[in-house]
């Protein structure tokens, strides 16, 4: 096991990243220790997992304040974990938690299955931004060629969902968020520098209607690669997200 001390997360929400890390058969687990000094959100994204490999993500708090991820922090069979993500294959994993208290936390990256041969590489990013400024491809929609509807939930234990899609020439989309029982919002992002971190200049459009009012982003008709983030504003809510695809009469690039 390798241990990395990330230190105090920036209060401004800037992400801390570590790239091109390796899990091996003899060292199938890495642990990243970090701290927050006030009530903040915690966002962790595990991306760039090498093809044909699988790695999972688990988050713990330093319960006994000894600076070591030990049996007390884990509990029996990781029962004390405060967040887990175990998507199959090399799909991105993520954990997004709201309003966690000051203290020390451990993000554990582990190979699956544990006895896998060969090496697996990955990238990890951690931040306290609200909403999350990390861009794991949690839901991969590919190139839109028709209408798409997805349902999900955001709340204190999963503050954000990220959808990845692209538009080709002669294509456009209207995006609608509905079915809310608490306040959630959406924003459309183009990760122009490919670092999987949201920067202010990369937010193309957003919709932040209050309460349970539906949100919409309409008339996106420029070809390219996009991320759509659904994020909690307050409370816990289910939602329905629709991508209404349409054809344009001429290419917009």
């Amino acid at each position: 096991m390798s241990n990395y001390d990330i230190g105090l997360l920036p209060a401004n929400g800037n992400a801390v990243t570590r790239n091109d890390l390796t899990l091996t058969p003899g060292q199938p687990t890495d642990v990243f220790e970090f701290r927050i000094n006030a009530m903040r959100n915690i966002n962790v994204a595990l991306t760039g997992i090498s093809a044909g490999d699988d790695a999972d993500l688990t988050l713990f708090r330093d319960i006994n304040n000894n600076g070591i991820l030990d049996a007390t922090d884990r509990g029996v069979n990781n029962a004390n974990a405060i967040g887990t993500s175990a998507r199959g294959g090399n799909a991105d994993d993520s954990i997004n938690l709201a309003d966690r208290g000051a203290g020390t936390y451990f993000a554990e990256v582990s190979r699956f299955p544990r006895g896998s041969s060969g090496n697996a590489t990955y990238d990890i990013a951690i931040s306290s931004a609200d909403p999350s400024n990390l861009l794991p491809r949690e839901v991969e929609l590919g190139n839109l060629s028709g209408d798409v509807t997805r349902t999900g939930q955001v709340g204190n234990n999963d503050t954000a969902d990220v959808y990845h899609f692209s538009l080709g020439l002669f294509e456009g989309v209207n995006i609608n968020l509905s079915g809310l029982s608490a306040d959630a919002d959406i924003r459309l992002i183009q990760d122009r520098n490919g670092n999987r971190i949201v920067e202010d200049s990369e937010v193309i459009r957003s919709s932040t209607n209050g309460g349970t009012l539906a949100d919409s982003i309409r008339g996106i008709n420029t070809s390219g690669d996009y991320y759509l983030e659904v994020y909690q504003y307050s409370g816990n809510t289910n939602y329905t997200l629709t991508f209404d695809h349409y054809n344009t009469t001429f290419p917009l690039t």
Side-chain angles (χ1 to χ4, degrees), residues 141 144-150 241-245:
L141 300 179
L144 293 184
S145 57
D147 297 345
V148 174
T149 299
R150 293 288 186 271
L241 184 67
T242 59
F243 296 80
D244 295 329
H245 178 270

Side-chain angles (χ1 to χ4, degrees), residues 8-253:
L8 183 68
L9 290 186
N12 62 5
N14 285 350
V16 178
T17 61
R18 297 290 184 270
N19 297 325
D20 299 320
L21 299 176
T22 302
L23 299 173
T24 68
Q27 183 180 291
T29 301
D30 288 339
V31 173
F32 299 82
E33 178 183 347
F34 63 91
R35 298 181 298 282
I36 53 177
N37 60 4
M39 187 78 74
R40 302 191 190 284
N41 284 14
I42 294 176
N43 314 298
V44 187
L46 181 64
T47 63
I49 302 168
S50 46
D53 295 310
D54 190 356
D56 298 326
L57 186 61
T58 311
L59 187 63
F60 301 91
R61 182 164 184 169
D62 187 6
I63 294 173
N64 52 15
N65 297 311
N66 66 354
I68 301 170
L69 177 56
D70 56 24
T72 300
D73 306 320
R74 290 183 181 279
V76 178
N77 295 323
N78 287 346
N80 291 342
I82 60 174
T84 60
S85 181
R87 292 186 174 90
N90 70 332
D92 294 347
D93 285 292
S94 65
I95 296 171
N96 300 291
L97 305 178
D99 299 332
R100 300 296 153 158
T104 298
Y105 295 82
F106 304 99
E108 181 178 69
V109 179
S110 21
R111 191 83 182 270
F112 182 83
R114 191 176 182 87
S116 298
S117 60
N119 296 340
T121 58
Y122 68 92
D123 304 327
I124 191 169
I126 306 172
S127 85
S128 62
D130 182 14
S132 173
N133 57 350
L134 309 184
L135 292 175
R137 296 176 179 177
E138 295 178 292
V139 182
E140 180 62 71
L141 300 179
N143 182 263
L144 293 184
S145 57
D147 297 345
V148 174
T149 299
R150 293 288 186 271
T151 58
Q153 182 182 53
V154 290
N156 291 336
N157 292 320
D158 184 11
T159 62
D161 290 338
V162 178
Y163 295 77
H164 178 247
F165 69 96
S166 61
L167 289 175
L169 299 177
F170 301 100
E171 292 183 318
V173 67
N174 299 317
I175 303 169
N176 303 285
L177 180 72
S178 61
L180 303 177
S181 57
D183 196 351
D185 299 313
I186 54 175
R187 58 180 181 172
L188 186 67
I189 299 148
Q190 279 196 301
D191 184 26
R192 296 189 180 96
N193 59 10
N195 68 353
R196 309 291 287 275
I197 307 295
V198 182
E199 292 154 13
D200 289 344
S201 62
E202 295 177 333
V203 178
I204 307 303
R205 298 265 293 279
S206 62
S207 179
T208 58
N209 291 329
T212 59
L213 292 175
D215 285 287
S216 65
I217 296 173
R218 305 184 64 81
I220 304 302
N221 51 22
T222 301
S223 61
D225 192 69
Y226 295 91
Y227 293 86
L228 190 284
E229 182 181 41
V230 181
Y231 61 93
Q232 176 203 44
Y233 183 80
S234 64
N236 303 311
T237 181
N238 296 323
Y239 66 82
T240 298
L241 184 67
T242 59
F243 296 80
D244 295 329
H245 178 270
Y246 61 88
N247 296 322
T248 62
T249 55
F250 56 90
L252 297 171
T253 60

